[in-house]
Protein backbone atom coordinates (compact mmCIF):
# COMPACT_ATOMS: atom_id res chain seq x y z
CA UNK A 1 0.00 0.00 0.00
CA UNK A 2 2.78 2.44 0.93
CA UNK A 3 4.51 2.03 -2.44
CA UNK A 4 1.27 2.82 -4.30
CA UNK A 5 0.59 5.88 -2.15
CA UNK A 6 4.12 7.20 -2.62
CA UNK A 7 3.90 6.72 -6.39
CA UNK A 8 0.57 8.55 -6.62
CA UNK A 9 1.70 11.50 -4.48
CA UNK A 10 5.00 11.71 -6.36
CA UNK A 11 3.10 12.02 -9.65
CA UNK A 12 1.28 15.02 -8.17
CA UNK A 13 4.61 16.61 -7.29
CA UNK A 14 4.58 15.80 -3.56
CA UNK A 15 7.56 14.26 -1.79
CA UNK A 16 6.81 11.47 0.66
CA UNK A 17 8.89 11.35 3.84
CA UNK A 18 10.16 7.75 3.68
CA UNK A 19 12.32 8.11 6.79
CA UNK A 20 9.34 9.09 8.94
CA UNK A 21 7.29 6.16 7.60
CA UNK A 22 10.14 3.72 8.39
CA UNK A 23 10.37 5.02 11.98
CA UNK A 24 6.60 4.77 12.40
CA UNK A 25 6.55 1.20 11.08
CA UNK A 26 9.36 0.18 13.45
CA UNK A 27 7.50 1.64 16.43
CA UNK A 28 4.30 -0.05 15.26
CA UNK A 29 6.07 -3.43 15.31
CA UNK A 30 7.08 -2.92 18.96
CA UNK A 31 3.58 -1.65 19.85
CA UNK A 32 1.99 -4.74 18.24
CA UNK A 33 4.46 -7.05 20.06
CA UNK A 34 5.79 -8.42 16.79
CA UNK A 35 9.09 -10.25 16.47
CA UNK A 36 11.80 -7.72 15.62
CA UNK A 37 14.15 -8.94 12.92
CA UNK A 38 17.77 -9.48 14.02
CA UNK A 39 16.77 -9.22 17.67
CA UNK A 40 14.00 -11.65 18.67
CA UNK A 41 15.08 -14.26 16.10
CA UNK A 42 18.19 -15.94 17.48
CA UNK A 43 20.51 -18.89 16.95
CA UNK A 44 21.95 -21.12 19.67
CA UNK A 45 25.62 -22.11 19.85
CA UNK A 46 24.55 -25.36 18.19
CA UNK A 47 23.06 -23.50 15.23
CA UNK A 48 19.40 -24.02 16.25
CA UNK A 49 17.01 -21.14 15.45
CA UNK A 50 14.66 -19.96 18.19
CA UNK A 51 12.45 -16.92 18.97
CA UNK A 52 12.85 -14.90 22.16
CA UNK A 53 9.85 -14.41 24.38
CA UNK A 54 8.27 -10.94 24.16
CA UNK A 55 6.80 -9.04 27.10
CA UNK A 56 4.75 -6.45 25.19
CA UNK A 57 5.76 -3.71 27.64
CA UNK A 58 5.64 -1.11 24.85
CA UNK A 59 1.87 -1.58 24.66
CA UNK A 60 1.53 -1.29 28.43
CA UNK A 61 3.52 1.96 28.55
CA UNK A 62 1.35 3.44 25.78
CA UNK A 63 -1.80 2.43 27.66
CA UNK A 64 -0.58 4.25 30.77
CA UNK A 65 0.32 7.28 28.68
CA UNK A 66 -3.21 7.36 27.24
CA UNK A 67 -4.63 7.21 30.78
CA UNK A 68 -3.20 10.67 31.47
CA UNK A 69 -5.56 12.22 28.91
CA UNK A 70 -8.77 10.28 29.56
CA UNK A 71 -11.61 12.50 28.28
CA UNK A 72 -14.65 12.57 30.58
CA UNK A 73 -16.93 15.17 29.06
CA UNK A 74 -17.13 17.64 26.15
CA UNK A 75 -19.66 20.46 26.22
CA UNK A 76 -20.49 23.70 24.36
CA UNK A 77 -22.11 26.78 25.84
CA UNK A 78 -24.84 26.84 23.17
CA UNK A 79 -27.34 24.05 23.90
CA UNK A 80 -28.31 23.36 20.27
CA UNK A 81 -24.67 23.17 19.19
CA UNK A 82 -23.91 21.04 22.23
CA UNK A 83 -26.67 18.56 21.34
CA UNK A 84 -25.49 18.36 17.72
CA UNK A 85 -21.86 17.75 18.67
CA UNK A 86 -22.77 15.23 21.39
CA UNK A 87 -24.87 13.21 18.94
CA UNK A 88 -22.21 13.36 16.21
CA UNK A 89 -19.42 12.26 18.56
CA UNK A 90 -21.56 9.48 20.01
CA UNK A 91 -22.43 8.12 16.56
CA UNK A 92 -18.75 8.11 15.61
CA UNK A 93 -17.65 6.27 18.80
CA UNK A 94 -15.49 9.23 19.71
CA UNK A 95 -14.75 8.21 23.32
CA UNK A 96 -13.50 4.77 22.29
CA UNK A 97 -11.70 6.03 19.19
CA UNK A 98 -9.90 8.87 20.98
CA UNK A 99 -8.61 6.32 23.48
CA UNK A 100 -7.21 4.22 20.61
CA UNK A 101 -5.69 7.31 19.04
CA UNK A 102 -4.02 8.37 22.29
CA UNK A 103 -2.31 4.97 22.55
CA UNK A 104 -1.20 5.10 18.91
CA UNK A 105 0.04 8.66 19.34
CA UNK A 106 2.22 7.64 22.28
CA UNK A 107 3.50 4.68 20.31
CA UNK A 108 4.08 6.27 16.91
CA UNK A 109 3.95 10.01 17.50
CA UNK A 110 1.07 11.16 15.27
CA UNK A 111 -2.64 10.52 14.67
CA UNK A 112 -5.27 12.49 12.77
CA UNK A 113 -8.99 12.87 12.08
CA UNK A 114 -10.78 14.42 9.13
CA UNK A 115 -14.43 15.17 8.36
CA UNK A 116 -16.25 13.84 5.33
CA UNK A 117 -19.80 14.02 4.07
CA UNK A 118 -21.37 10.71 3.01
CA UNK A 119 -24.36 10.47 0.68
CA UNK A 120 -24.33 14.17 -0.18
CA UNK A 121 -25.02 15.75 -3.57
CA UNK A 122 -22.09 17.23 -5.49
CA UNK A 123 -23.18 20.58 -6.94
CA UNK A 124 -21.94 22.15 -10.19
CA UNK A 125 -19.72 24.61 -8.28
CA UNK A 126 -17.91 21.74 -6.55
CA UNK A 127 -19.71 22.14 -3.20
CA UNK A 128 -21.76 19.52 -1.34
CA UNK A 129 -25.32 19.56 -0.06
CA UNK A 130 -26.96 17.21 2.42
CA UNK A 131 -25.55 13.85 3.43
CA UNK A 132 -24.29 12.57 6.76
CA UNK A 133 -21.14 13.80 8.47
CA UNK A 134 -18.54 11.24 9.49
CA UNK A 135 -15.27 11.36 11.39
CA UNK A 136 -12.46 9.37 9.81
CA UNK A 137 -9.79 8.39 12.34
CA UNK A 138 -6.43 8.01 10.63
CA UNK A 139 -3.64 5.78 11.93
CA UNK A 140 -0.03 7.04 11.95
CA UNK A 141 1.09 5.12 8.85
CA UNK A 142 -1.72 6.72 6.85
CA UNK A 143 -0.68 10.35 7.49
CA UNK A 144 1.40 12.25 4.90
CA UNK A 145 2.00 15.94 5.77
CA UNK A 146 2.31 17.98 2.57
CA UNK A 147 2.76 21.52 3.89
CA UNK A 148 4.02 22.43 7.36
CA UNK A 149 4.14 26.07 8.49
CA UNK A 150 5.62 27.01 11.87
CA UNK A 151 5.19 23.41 13.02
CA UNK A 152 1.52 23.27 12.00
CA UNK A 153 0.32 20.92 9.25
CA UNK A 154 -1.77 23.06 6.88
CA UNK A 155 -2.02 20.62 3.96
CA UNK A 156 -2.09 16.85 4.33
CA UNK A 157 -2.87 13.58 2.58
CA UNK A 158 -4.56 10.68 4.36
CA UNK A 159 -4.60 7.09 3.15
CA UNK A 160 -6.48 3.95 4.15
CA UNK A 161 -6.97 0.50 2.69
CA UNK A 162 -10.25 -1.38 2.20
CA UNK A 163 -11.06 -4.79 0.76
CA UNK A 164 -13.77 -4.72 -1.92
CA UNK A 165 -14.88 -8.05 -3.40
CA UNK A 166 -11.74 -9.70 -2.13
CA UNK A 167 -9.40 -7.11 -3.66
CA UNK A 168 -7.61 -4.27 -1.90
CA UNK A 169 -8.48 -0.66 -2.68
CA UNK A 170 -6.50 2.29 -1.37
CA UNK A 171 -8.28 5.58 -0.72
CA UNK A 172 -6.21 8.76 -0.70
CA UNK A 173 -7.75 12.03 0.49
CA UNK A 174 -5.73 15.20 -0.12
CA UNK A 175 -6.61 18.50 1.55
CA UNK A 176 -5.12 21.46 -0.31
CA UNK A 177 -5.18 25.06 0.89
CA UNK A 178 -5.59 27.54 -1.97
CA UNK A 179 -6.68 31.17 -1.86
CA UNK A 180 -7.48 30.92 1.85
CA UNK A 181 -9.89 28.01 1.27
CA UNK A 182 -9.58 24.25 1.44
CA UNK A 183 -10.18 21.77 -1.34
CA UNK A 184 -10.61 18.01 -0.87
CA UNK A 185 -9.36 15.65 -3.58
CA UNK A 186 -10.25 11.97 -3.24
CA UNK A 187 -8.59 9.25 -5.33
CA UNK A 188 -9.13 5.48 -5.14
CA UNK A 189 -6.43 3.08 -6.33
CA UNK A 190 -7.08 -0.55 -7.25
CA UNK A 191 -4.92 -3.47 -6.08
CA UNK A 192 -2.46 -2.74 -8.89
CA UNK A 193 -2.05 0.91 -7.89
CA UNK A 194 -4.06 2.24 -10.83
CA UNK A 195 -6.56 5.02 -10.11
CA UNK A 196 -10.26 4.20 -10.51
CA UNK A 197 -11.30 7.33 -12.39
CA UNK A 198 -15.03 7.18 -11.75
CA UNK A 199 -14.35 7.37 -7.99
CA UNK A 200 -12.24 10.54 -8.31
CA UNK A 201 -13.86 13.58 -6.68
CA UNK A 202 -12.84 17.17 -5.98
CA UNK A 203 -14.86 19.22 -3.49
CA UNK A 204 -14.57 22.91 -2.64
CA UNK A 205 -14.61 23.57 1.09
CA UNK A 206 -14.22 26.70 3.21
CA UNK A 207 -11.70 28.49 5.35
CA UNK A 208 -11.95 26.09 8.32
CA UNK A 209 -9.38 23.29 8.26
CA UNK A 210 -11.35 20.05 7.71
CA UNK A 211 -8.82 17.88 9.52
CA UNK A 212 -6.88 17.84 12.77
CA UNK A 213 -3.48 16.34 13.58
CA UNK A 214 -2.51 15.28 17.10
CA UNK A 215 1.14 14.79 18.04
CA UNK A 216 3.05 14.08 21.22
CA UNK A 217 3.88 17.19 23.23
CA UNK A 218 7.62 16.52 23.33
CA UNK A 219 9.72 18.38 20.76
CA UNK A 220 10.62 16.03 17.91
CA UNK A 221 14.41 15.93 17.91
CA UNK A 222 14.63 13.47 15.00
CA UNK A 223 15.80 14.94 11.71
CA UNK A 224 13.54 15.07 8.65
CA UNK A 225 10.34 14.55 10.65
CA UNK A 226 8.49 17.77 9.80
CA UNK A 227 4.81 17.49 10.59
CA UNK A 228 5.20 14.33 12.67
CA UNK A 229 5.31 13.96 16.44
CA UNK A 230 8.06 12.20 18.36
CA UNK A 231 7.20 8.49 18.84
CA UNK A 232 7.84 7.66 22.49
CA UNK A 233 8.57 4.05 21.66
CA UNK A 234 11.40 4.99 19.30
CA UNK A 235 13.59 6.46 22.02
CA UNK A 236 12.72 3.60 24.37
CA UNK A 237 13.65 0.75 21.99
CA UNK A 238 17.02 0.02 23.72
CA UNK A 239 15.23 -0.28 27.07
CA UNK A 240 12.46 -2.42 25.56
CA UNK A 241 15.15 -4.74 24.24
CA UNK A 242 16.70 -4.92 27.70
CA UNK A 243 13.32 -5.79 29.25
CA UNK A 244 12.77 -8.66 26.81
CA UNK A 245 16.32 -9.91 27.42
CA UNK A 246 15.81 -9.85 31.20
CA UNK A 247 12.51 -11.66 30.84
CA UNK A 248 14.16 -14.35 28.74
CA UNK A 249 16.79 -14.85 31.46
CA UNK A 250 13.91 -15.53 33.87
CA UNK A 251 12.23 -17.87 31.36
CA UNK A 252 15.53 -19.69 30.86
CA UNK A 253 16.03 -20.17 34.60
CA UNK A 254 12.48 -21.50 34.97
CA UNK A 255 12.89 -23.79 31.97
CA UNK A 256 15.97 -25.40 33.53
CA UNK A 257 14.65 -25.40 37.11
CA UNK A 258 13.52 -29.04 37.32
CA UNK A 259 15.32 -30.94 40.05
CA UNK A 260 17.64 -33.72 38.85
CA UNK A 261 18.63 -36.80 40.83
CA UNK A 262 21.83 -38.62 39.81
CA UNK A 263 21.89 -42.23 40.93
CA UNK A 264 24.26 -45.19 40.68
CA UNK A 265 23.59 -48.14 38.40
CA UNK A 266 23.69 -50.37 41.41
CA UNK A 267 20.27 -49.00 42.34
CA UNK A 268 18.77 -49.58 38.89
CA UNK A 269 16.73 -52.29 37.32
CA UNK A 270 17.40 -52.72 33.61
CA UNK A 271 15.24 -53.92 30.71
CA UNK A 272 16.25 -56.48 28.08
CA UNK A 273 18.05 -53.78 26.07
CA UNK A 274 20.14 -52.71 29.01
CA UNK A 275 18.29 -49.43 29.66
CA UNK A 276 17.34 -48.47 33.22
CA UNK A 277 13.65 -48.93 34.05
CA UNK A 278 11.86 -45.95 35.59
CA UNK A 279 8.32 -46.26 36.95
CA UNK A 280 6.75 -43.18 35.32
CA UNK A 281 7.38 -40.15 33.10
CA UNK A 282 8.25 -37.92 36.02
CA UNK A 283 11.05 -40.24 37.06
CA UNK A 284 12.33 -40.34 33.51
CA UNK A 285 12.43 -36.56 33.56
CA UNK A 286 14.16 -36.06 36.90
CA UNK A 287 16.37 -39.14 37.38
CA UNK A 288 19.55 -39.68 35.42
CA UNK A 289 21.79 -42.75 35.55
CA UNK A 290 25.47 -41.79 35.82
CA UNK A 291 27.18 -45.20 35.52
CA UNK A 292 28.82 -47.27 38.20
CA UNK A 293 30.33 -44.27 39.97
CA UNK A 294 29.05 -40.72 40.41
CA UNK A 295 31.56 -37.93 39.55
CA UNK A 296 33.45 -36.41 42.50
CA UNK A 297 31.37 -38.25 45.09
CA UNK A 298 31.13 -41.64 46.70
CA UNK A 299 27.40 -41.33 47.33
CA UNK A 300 24.95 -43.53 45.52
CA UNK A 301 22.44 -40.67 45.05
CA UNK A 302 23.09 -36.95 44.44
CA UNK A 303 20.52 -34.16 43.93
CA UNK A 304 20.95 -31.12 41.69
CA UNK A 305 18.56 -28.20 42.30
CA UNK A 306 19.06 -25.43 39.70
CA UNK A 307 18.83 -21.92 41.16
CA UNK A 308 16.33 -19.31 39.92
CA UNK A 309 18.11 -15.97 40.22
CA UNK A 310 15.06 -14.05 41.42
CA UNK A 311 16.83 -11.27 43.35
CA UNK A 312 19.26 -10.37 40.57
CA UNK A 313 16.56 -10.55 37.90
CA UNK A 314 14.19 -8.43 40.01
CA UNK A 315 16.74 -5.65 40.55
CA UNK A 316 17.63 -5.61 36.86
CA UNK A 317 13.95 -5.49 35.92
CA UNK A 318 13.38 -2.53 38.26
CA UNK A 319 16.27 -0.62 36.69
CA UNK A 320 14.99 -1.24 33.15
CA UNK A 321 11.40 -0.34 34.08
CA UNK A 322 12.59 2.86 35.77
CA UNK A 323 14.41 3.84 32.59
CA UNK A 324 11.31 3.05 30.52
CA UNK A 325 9.14 5.07 32.91
CA UNK A 326 11.48 8.06 32.63
CA UNK A 327 11.51 7.94 28.82
CA UNK A 328 7.70 8.05 28.75
CA UNK A 329 7.63 11.05 31.09
CA UNK A 330 6.31 9.20 34.15
CA UNK A 331 9.32 9.76 36.41
CA UNK A 332 11.24 6.84 37.94
CA UNK A 333 8.54 5.37 40.18
CA UNK A 334 5.77 4.52 37.76
CA UNK A 335 6.49 0.78 37.91
CA UNK A 336 7.86 -0.97 40.98
CA UNK A 337 8.14 -4.44 42.54
CA UNK A 338 6.48 -4.94 45.91
CA UNK A 339 6.25 -8.36 47.54
CA UNK A 340 7.03 -10.05 44.26
CA UNK A 341 4.39 -8.11 42.28
CA UNK A 342 4.67 -5.45 39.61
CA UNK A 343 2.60 -2.46 40.72
CA UNK A 344 1.74 0.81 39.09
CA UNK A 345 2.68 3.50 41.57
CA UNK A 346 -0.51 5.55 41.63
CA UNK A 347 -0.37 6.40 45.31
CA UNK A 348 2.43 8.94 45.53
CA UNK A 349 0.70 12.25 44.82
CA UNK A 350 3.50 14.31 46.35
CA UNK A 351 6.24 12.94 44.12
CA UNK A 352 4.31 12.62 40.89
CA UNK A 353 5.54 15.84 39.35
CA UNK A 354 6.87 14.15 36.20
CA UNK A 355 3.44 12.75 35.37
CA UNK A 356 1.84 16.12 36.14
CA UNK A 357 4.19 17.94 33.79
CA UNK A 358 3.70 15.37 31.03
CA UNK A 359 -0.07 15.53 31.55
CA UNK A 360 -0.24 19.33 31.30
CA UNK A 361 1.77 19.39 28.07
CA UNK A 362 -0.16 16.59 26.41
CA UNK A 363 -3.61 17.79 27.46
CA UNK A 364 -3.01 21.14 25.79
CA UNK A 365 -2.27 19.39 22.49
CA UNK A 366 -5.34 17.16 22.90
CA UNK A 367 -7.57 20.13 23.76
CA UNK A 368 -6.51 21.94 20.58
CA UNK A 369 -7.07 18.73 18.61
CA UNK A 370 -10.61 18.18 19.89
CA UNK A 371 -11.51 21.85 19.40
CA UNK A 372 -10.33 21.67 15.76
CA UNK A 373 -12.51 18.59 15.18
CA UNK A 374 -15.58 20.21 16.75
CA UNK A 375 -15.14 23.47 14.79
CA UNK A 376 -14.84 21.45 11.57
CA UNK A 377 -18.05 19.57 12.46
CA UNK A 378 -19.89 22.84 13.09
CA UNK A 379 -18.63 24.33 9.81
CA UNK A 380 -19.65 21.26 7.78
CA UNK A 381 -23.10 21.35 9.35
CA UNK A 382 -23.48 25.05 8.52
CA UNK A 383 -22.22 24.60 4.96
CA UNK A 384 -24.03 21.40 3.97
CA UNK A 385 -27.04 21.18 6.30
CA UNK A 386 -28.05 24.82 6.55
CA UNK A 387 -27.46 25.20 10.30
CA UNK A 388 -26.17 28.42 11.84
CA UNK A 389 -23.85 27.38 14.66
CA UNK A 390 -21.33 29.84 16.08
CA UNK A 391 -17.85 28.54 15.30
CA UNK A 392 -16.46 30.59 18.20
CA UNK A 393 -18.78 28.95 20.74
CA UNK A 394 -16.96 28.10 23.98
CA UNK A 395 -15.86 24.46 24.19
CA UNK A 396 -15.23 22.91 27.63
CA UNK A 397 -13.29 19.63 27.86
CA UNK A 398 -13.05 17.79 31.19
CA UNK A 399 -10.44 15.12 31.89
CA UNK A 400 -10.22 12.25 34.36
CA UNK A 401 -7.61 13.05 37.03
CA UNK A 402 -7.90 9.78 38.97
CA UNK A 403 -4.66 8.45 37.44
CA UNK A 404 -2.54 11.29 38.76
CA UNK A 405 -4.36 12.28 41.95
CA UNK A 406 -4.95 10.47 45.22
CA UNK A 407 -8.68 10.89 45.92
CA UNK A 408 -8.44 9.71 49.53
CA UNK A 409 -5.62 12.13 50.34
CA UNK A 410 -7.54 14.99 48.75
CA UNK A 411 -10.65 14.18 50.83
CA UNK A 412 -8.63 13.97 54.04
CA UNK A 413 -7.04 17.37 53.33
CA UNK A 414 -10.48 18.82 52.54
CA UNK A 415 -11.86 17.40 55.78
CA UNK A 416 -9.00 18.90 57.81
CA UNK A 417 -9.54 22.33 56.24
CA UNK A 418 -13.29 22.13 56.84
CA UNK A 419 -12.72 21.33 60.53
CA UNK A 420 -10.00 23.96 60.96
CA UNK A 421 -11.78 26.89 59.28
CA UNK A 422 -15.43 25.96 59.85
CA UNK A 423 -16.48 27.01 56.36
CA UNK A 424 -20.03 25.74 55.60
CA UNK A 425 -19.46 25.61 51.84
CA UNK A 426 -16.30 23.53 52.26
CA UNK A 427 -18.14 21.14 54.62
CA UNK A 428 -20.90 20.70 52.05
CA UNK A 429 -18.38 20.16 49.25
CA UNK A 430 -16.57 17.54 51.37
CA UNK A 431 -19.80 15.65 52.08
CA UNK A 432 -20.80 15.78 48.42
CA UNK A 433 -17.49 14.29 47.24
CA UNK A 434 -17.06 11.84 50.11
CA UNK A 435 -20.45 10.17 49.74
CA UNK A 436 -21.28 11.00 46.08
CA UNK A 437 -24.32 13.07 47.01
CA UNK A 438 -26.28 15.61 45.02
CA UNK A 439 -26.41 19.24 46.10
CA UNK A 440 -29.99 18.74 47.39
CA UNK A 441 -28.97 15.71 49.47
CA UNK A 442 -25.98 17.56 50.92
CA UNK A 443 -28.19 20.51 51.84
CA UNK A 444 -30.62 18.20 53.64
CA UNK A 445 -27.76 16.50 55.52
CA UNK A 446 -26.22 19.82 56.51
CA UNK A 447 -29.54 21.22 57.71
CA UNK A 448 -30.06 18.11 59.87
CA UNK A 449 -26.60 18.58 61.40
CA UNK A 450 -27.33 22.25 62.14
CA UNK A 451 -30.69 21.34 63.71
CA UNK A 452 -29.02 18.73 65.97
CA UNK A 453 -26.37 21.26 67.06
CA UNK A 454 -29.05 23.84 68.01
CA UNK A 455 -31.00 21.21 70.00
CA UNK A 456 -27.85 20.21 71.91
CA UNK A 457 -27.12 23.87 72.77
CA UNK A 458 -30.68 24.41 74.08
Amino acid sequence: MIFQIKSYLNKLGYKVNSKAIDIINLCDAWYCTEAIKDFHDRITVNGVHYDMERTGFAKRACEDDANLCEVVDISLSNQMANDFVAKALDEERFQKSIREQLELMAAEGTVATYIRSVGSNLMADGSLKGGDLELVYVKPNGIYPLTVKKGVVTECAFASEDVINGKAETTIVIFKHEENKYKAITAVLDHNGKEIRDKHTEVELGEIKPFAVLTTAAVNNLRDMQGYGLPKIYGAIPVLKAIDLIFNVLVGDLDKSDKMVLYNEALCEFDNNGKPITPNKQHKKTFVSMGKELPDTKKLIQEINPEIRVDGITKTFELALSLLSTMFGFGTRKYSFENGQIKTATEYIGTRQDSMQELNRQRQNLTDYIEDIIKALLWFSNAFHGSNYDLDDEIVINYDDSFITDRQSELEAMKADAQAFGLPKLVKYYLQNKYSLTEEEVEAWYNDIEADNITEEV
Side-chain angles (χ1 to χ4, degrees), residues 323-357:
L323 291 172
L324 179 67
S325 177
T326 302
M327 289 182 172
F328 269 75
F330 303 144
T332 58
R333 293 182 57 190
K334 180 66 174 176
Y335 308 108
S336 63
F337 287 93
E338 294 181 16
N339 299 322
Q341 296 179 341
I342 296 180
K343 292 187 176 182
T344 301
T346 56
E347 60 274 3
Y348 59 98
I349 181 64
T351 58
R352 225 178 304 175
Q353 295 304 313
D354 296 281
S355 291
M356 289 295 295
Q357 292 173 4

Side-chain angles (χ1 to χ4, degrees), residues 407 411 429-438 441 445:
R407 175 177 169 80
L411 288 173
Y429 190 66
Y430 166 75
L431 293 173
Q432 184 176 352
N433 283 272
K434 173 69 175 179
Y435 300 104
S436 301
L437 302 174
T438 64
E441 290 171 334
W445 277 33

Side-chain angles (χ1 to χ4, degrees), residues 149 154-155 176-183 204-210 379:
K149 295 180 179 180
T154 58
E155 294 184 320
K176 298 181 64 177
H177 194 232
E178 299 175 338
E179 297 180 357
N180 207 32
K181 287 188 177 182
Y182 277 93
K183 181 179 183 180
E204 298 293 336
L205 302 175
E207 68 283 355
I208 295 297
K209 187 166 66 174
W379 184 90

Side-chain angles (χ1 to χ4, degrees), residues 274-292:
K275 294 182 179 180
I277 299 173
T278 51
N280 53 48
K281 291 182 179 180
Q282 184 61 27
H283 281 73
K284 289 180 180 179
K285 184 177 180 182
T286 59
F287 287 79
V288 179
S289 174
M290 294 300 294
K292 294 182 179 180

Side-chain angles (χ1 to χ4, degrees), residues 366-392:
L366 181 58
T367 298
D368 295 341
Y369 179 67
I370 295 175
E371 288 179 350
D372 287 346
I373 293 173
I374 291 175
K375 288 181 179 180
L377 275 172
L378 296 175
W379 184 90
F380 268 74
S381 178
N382 291 346
F384 304 146
H385 296 168
S387 57
N388 191 29
Y389 298 127
D390 183 4
L391 301 184
D392 295 324

Side-chain angles (χ1 to χ4, degrees), residues 60-80:
R60 170 58 190 270
C62 293
E63 289 176 358
D64 289 336
D65 193 81
N67 289 337
L68 297 177
C69 291
E70 191 78 24
V71 179
V72 175
D73 179 63
I74 301 173
S75 61
L76 284 74
S77 57
N78 180 273
Q79 189 60 45
M80 291 184 63

